[in-house]
Every structure is written in structure tokens, then in C-alpha cells.
Amino acid sequence: MKRQAPLVVIVGGGFGGLAAAKALKRSPVNVLLIDRSNHHVFQPLLYQVATSVLASGQIASPIRSLLAGQMNTSVMLGNVTGVDAASKQVVVDINDKVKLKISYDHLILATGATHSYFGHDEFAPFAPGLKSLADAESLRNRILEAFEKAEIEDDQGRRQALMTFVMVGAGPTGVEIASALAVMARSTFRQDFRRINPASARIILVDMGGRPLAAFSEKLSEAAMRRLTSLGVEVRLRSAVQVVDKEGVVIGSERIWAKTVVWTAGVAPSPAGKWLGTAVDGSGRVQIQPDLTIAGSPDLFVIGDTAALEQDGRPLPGVAQVAMQQGRYAAKSIIRRVTGQSPLPPFRYFDKGNLAVVGENFAVLQSAGVELSGFTAWLIWALIHIQFLAEASLRFSVFLQWMWTYVSGKRAARLLIRQPTKDISELLS
């Protein structure tokens, strides 16, 4: 990469970071995108990998491939561990090189979020979240293994625990996993087992709020609630999870024996606020200015789940559309500065609405005063999600897979893949 042009460093290859990198194509800057993973994943469909509808390769693309046509852009596989805003440097661990410092002219932090257990980090080993492909594949293994173990379990109590699944958090992710799991147990697995009845699986969705999908209108929440109930999902509202351990959960004073617990209750931002030593909100997100920079550092942008910004008196939601719009805004701001143009007006998010799928052929949609639930909303959900996949090949592959699943009721990605427990030489001896 030639260094005579200003260098824009982007940390994070998610929705925001990738949108920023693409918007800088053909601009008079050099771009370096750093990410811990070599791929961009379409997170809204992670639950379909976890429930065996899609394979991992159908919702993810190598970042290098996505940016291969941008001759001003390079990609680095590394773990950013700090930022020195005063000297305009990022600190990166790359292989055996620890605390390597890279200077920048402009920096875009799009470092995303991770799972939040609200002060109960001891829950983490027993209630994984769903933020990455590794999370999705691990959860798929746990789900498939639970049914396989139940098939050969003679003790009725242990068998029921294996076939009990608890989702903590009734937001879109929790609702989507619970409903997809219910469909899988009651239709896909219907004829596959001989000693168990997969339809007897107990699927529990727990939330402290008063309704599922609280970000939607009450009308759509009620529609989602009816749909969940019709699928056989037990919805426990206004219920606090007190304990999560290897035996299951305690909800209020009730112990529920469950071998699979999924945490979908909340997220925590990256440690960018600690790196920068700047003001953060109560969740730890960096408080940014209307131009997406932090006070005193006009060349440092923070976007997506890492940032906290209010619009019309309300905080912007942590959704992909916010990150993408902010990524493009940050890129345009940098181009204007480099080319000597006037600054952009303050960032303003255009809300395109909310969508959530609730099982097969049913979704809820809320956009610009329009509220839909049912099959039509599901078709719109499917079209939008296919449109936003990163590559045309993925759109084609996912469309065909969905059509096959819709017609046949079968799921193609039901492979239980585990690492061998013994060394191969030991097995061959």
C-alpha cells in the first residue's frame, strides 16, 4: 500500500466497517481494514445456521474477496487491543507480533458488540450467545447432540432435560431461535427418531419484559405471542433468570432442568471506550458527537454498536441499518475533508423499519406506520434478507435452499461435527 495518500484505518469488518470501506472505493485515500476474523458474516441469519436451515458458508464471505476490487484497500487479520488517539495510532496483535503500532490519518472504530450477562458472567459457560459463526455452529452441535443423546437415554428425567431448550431474552434473536427450533422439532425431525417423539421437546422463551419483541408495536407483539404459542413455545414473561448452570436454569423460584440454554438477553459493546478514555453511556458505549466523532478527535469516528448517539431524544438502536448508514457517513466525511470540501450536516438515521420472523411462513413487519404480520410479512422479510447478503452467489444459494426447505420440509445442514477427543496416532496404535 502506497503511503503518500492519507491512511484510513477501519477496525471491524461487520456491517458498519464494511460499508465504510466500500464507500471509500476510488477515493483519494488508502484504506486498511483490520478484523479478528477473515470473514464478514450476515448476523441476522445466524439463527438459521444454529437451527440447521443454512450452512455457515451461505451467510459469510471472506473480507478479502469482498474488497478485492478496491485497489486502494488492504485487509489485515489482527486483534486491535488499544488506540492512542493523541499519537494517532492503533495497537494490534498479529500472530507473534504483540502491540504492533499502526499510525493513521483517520480512524473508524466499528468494533461491534458481544454478549452481556448483566453482571452474571458466571452464566456464560452454560448459556452461550449467538454473535459469530463459531457460536452458531456450536449451538447447532448442542441442539443436534441433545436429540441424539435423548434417543439413547433410558432415564426419563435425563431424557426430558436433554429435550428442554431455554432461550433467555424475547427480542428478535430469542424469538427467531425459539420458533425455528419448534418447527425443526415438530416437522423436520418428525420421522427421524424411533425412541423419542421430537414434538415433545419443551421450548421455553424467558424475558423480564411484559411482551415479546418489545421494540415492535403491541399489536405485532401480540401476533408474535399467538404464533409462538401455536408452535408450542412456552413464553415466560416478567420472569427473571436467577441461576444458569450445567443442570439448567432457575426462573424465579422454579428449577427447570435443561441441557441447552441460549443467552439472547442483551449485548455489551467492545472495550473501545476504555481504549479511548472518553465518555461512555451506562452500557459502556462511546458517547459520540453528531458527526460521529469523539470530542477533541475530529479524525476518529466511532460507529455501530460501539457508539451511543441520540436522535429526537431517543438512543439509536443497535441494528445493522444504523451501522451501515453511519459507516457510509463516516466515509463521506473523510472524503470531504481530504478533498477540501465543506463538512457534512450532522448524521441522521433513516429508519427503514423492523422485521422479525416467527417460525415458518410467518413474520412481523413495522415500517413507516405500516404494520403487517403473517405470510406477506414473511415474504418481505425473505426478500430483504436475500437482498442484503454480501455476494450474488450467496443470494442464489440461500434462495435455492429456502425454496427446497419450504417444499420438502428438510434441512440440509444437519451435520453434527465434533473435534476428535484423541490424537490420531493414538487411535491408530
Side-chain angles (χ1 to χ4, degrees), residues 28-29 31 41 64 78 94 101 157 177 184 191 239 270 272 321 326 371 409 426:
V29 299
V31 180
V41 61
R64 291 186 184 278
I94 308 171
K101 292 186 177 181
I177 295 175
M184 182 167 69
Q191 297 179 341
S239 301
S270 74
Q321 277 299 323
Q326 289 181 336
E371 296 182 3
E426 192 178 336

Side-chain angles (χ1 to χ4, degrees), residues 1 80 86 90 92 120 141 179 183 185 235 245 261 268 276 300 316 326 330 351 353 391 399 406 412:
M1 178 183 294
V80 173
V90 293
V92 194
H120 290 281
N141 282 350
S179 56
V183 172
V235 184
D245 55 28
V261 181
L276 301 172
L300 200 164
L316 293 179
Q326 289 181 336
D351 187 357
E391 296 181 284
F399 175 77
Y406 183 82

Side-chain angles (χ1 to χ4, degrees), residues 108-186:
I108 301 175
L109 289 178
T111 44
T114 185
H115 321 299
S116 173
Y117 292 91
F118 306 108
H120 290 281
D121 291 344
E122 70 274 12
F123 294 173
F126 313 107
L130 191 61
K131 286 293 179 185
S132 68
L133 280 181
D135 293 336
E137 291 188 344
S138 175
L139 179 56
R140 183 190 64 205
N141 282 350
R142 291 182 66 165
I143 292 170
L144 296 176
E145 192 172 52
F147 284 99
E148 294 292 345
K149 287 182 176 180
E151 173 79 350
I152 58 175
E153 178 59 63
D154 293 322
D155 183 271
Q156 184 60 35
R158 286 196 291 268
R159 176 184 287 182
Q160 186 58 57
L162 286 164
M163 295 180 64
T164 299
F165 304 86
V166 180
M167 270 57 66
V168 184
T173 302
V175 167
E176 288 169 347
I177 295 175
S179 56
L181 186 53
V183 172
M184 182 167 69
R186 287 156 176 73

